[in-house]
Amino acid sequence: MKALAKGEMAKFALPVQAAPPPATSFVDAKGQTRRIADFRGKVVVVNMWATWCAPCIIEMPTLAKLAKNYEGQNVEVVAISVDRPDDEAKARMFIAKHAPLNFYHDPNMALPFAFKPVAAGMPTTVIYGADGVERGRLAGGADWSSKDAKALIDKVLAES
């Protein structure tokens, strides 16, 4: 995996200790409680973002392209807004412009602090294999529609 940390994915960091996702919950567009573990069985690209985060806004179209590229495959892009409850409508409108991404919301901004290590900045993207174990993460914005990102996701997909 480390050999794939180049170009757009140069900041991709392997986990110090391979671990399952935190049990902290968030909600989906219908208000149902969800956890990252609910997506086990798929390669899961978890992205924590907010409407107040300029790099998040720039990167979101590339995450949508990534999701579109892997439609029908065993990959799920889970973009979780950490906007305040007062800004939920704004976040919903923003994500609606980036189909096929679905709206997920962590109104308490608890999930970033539940990761080990903590996801201190936005955006942060954490990738899990189909076995539910973290493969690595990237802190900061990136072009998730790049060939470098595709190579990384393809590698995780091949290992699953």
Side-chain angles (χ1 to χ4, degrees):
M1 293 288 294
K2 193 61 182 162
L4 295 173
K6 60 183 180 178
E8 279 295 321
M9 299 291 108
K11 297 181 286 181
F12 186 76
L14 301 177
V16 173
Q17 179 179 352
T24 303
S25 63
F26 51 95
V27 294
D28 64 19
K30 296 178 182 175
Q32 299 297 310
T33 300
R34 302 298 301 262
R35 290 181 176 74
I36 296 168
D38 295 344
F39 301 94
R40 188 180 174 136
K42 294 184 175 189
V43 170
V44 184
V45 180
V46 177
N47 176 268
M48 286 162 291
W49 68 279
T51 57
W52 45 258
C53 164
C56 301
I57 302 304
I58 293 167
E59 140 179 289
M60 197 58 65
T62 74
L63 281 164
K65 286 179 185 173
L66 177 75
K68 197 168 285 198
N69 186 52
Y70 286 97
E71 277 184 319
Q73 296 185 50
N74 206 28
V75 176
E76 187 80 28
V77 178
V78 181
I80 305 169
S81 166
V82 295
D83 281 284
R84 297 173 314 152
D86 292 350
D87 293 326
E88 179 180 339
K90 181 179 178 182
R92 278 180 183 269
M93 287 191 310
F94 178 77
I95 205 75
K97 296 175 186 173
H98 300 290
L101 298 176
N102 294 310
F103 180 73
Y104 297 100
H105 189 210
D106 175 12
N108 300 316
M109 198 178 190
L111 188 58
F113 298 100
F115 286 100
K116 302 292 184 234
V118 168
M122 298 301 126
T124 295
T125 304
V126 183
I127 300 173
Y128 292 91
D131 59 359
V133 175
E134 182 179 338
R135 295 296 193 271
R137 63 179 67 191
L138 194 148
D143 180 353
W144 289 99
S145 63
S146 70
K147 65 178 177 43
D148 299 318
K150 185 175 181 339
L152 184 67
I153 300 302
D154 286 349
K155 174 73 170 167
V156 178
L157 195 54
E159 293 174 350
S160 296

